[in-house]
Amino acid sequence: ISVRDNGVGFDISQYHASNESARSLGIVGMHERIATNGGELQIRSAPGTGTEIVAVFDISGELNHGH
């Protein structure tokens, strides 16, 4: 599943470097819901480029991402 926009984007490395309490609850919630269902959340963004959020799920049961 992929969602992309052409907005202002943000520096994803700064998001990952921030402490847990400063992180967006929306992103944290998406990550938790996707992980609970056996998926992986990927966020691609940079200032001025928009943002793409990708949720990857292994529906075949063949891949193991360390879970």
Side-chain angles (χ1 to χ4, degrees), residues 22-49:
R23 292 184 180 172
S24 165
L25 291 178
I27 293 174
V28 170
M30 284 189 291
H31 176 62
E32 288 176 355
R33 286 189 296 277
I34 291 167
T36 297
N37 289 288
E40 178 183 321
L41 178 68
Q42 302 169 359
I43 301 173
R44 302 174 185 132
S45 188
T49 66

Side-chain angles (χ1 to χ4, degrees), residues 45-67:
S45 188
T49 66
T51 301
E52 180 179 25
I53 298 179
V54 180
V56 179
F57 296 91
D58 176 17
I59 59 174
S60 72
E62 294 178 11
L63 297 177
N64 182 357
H65 295 286
H67 300 209

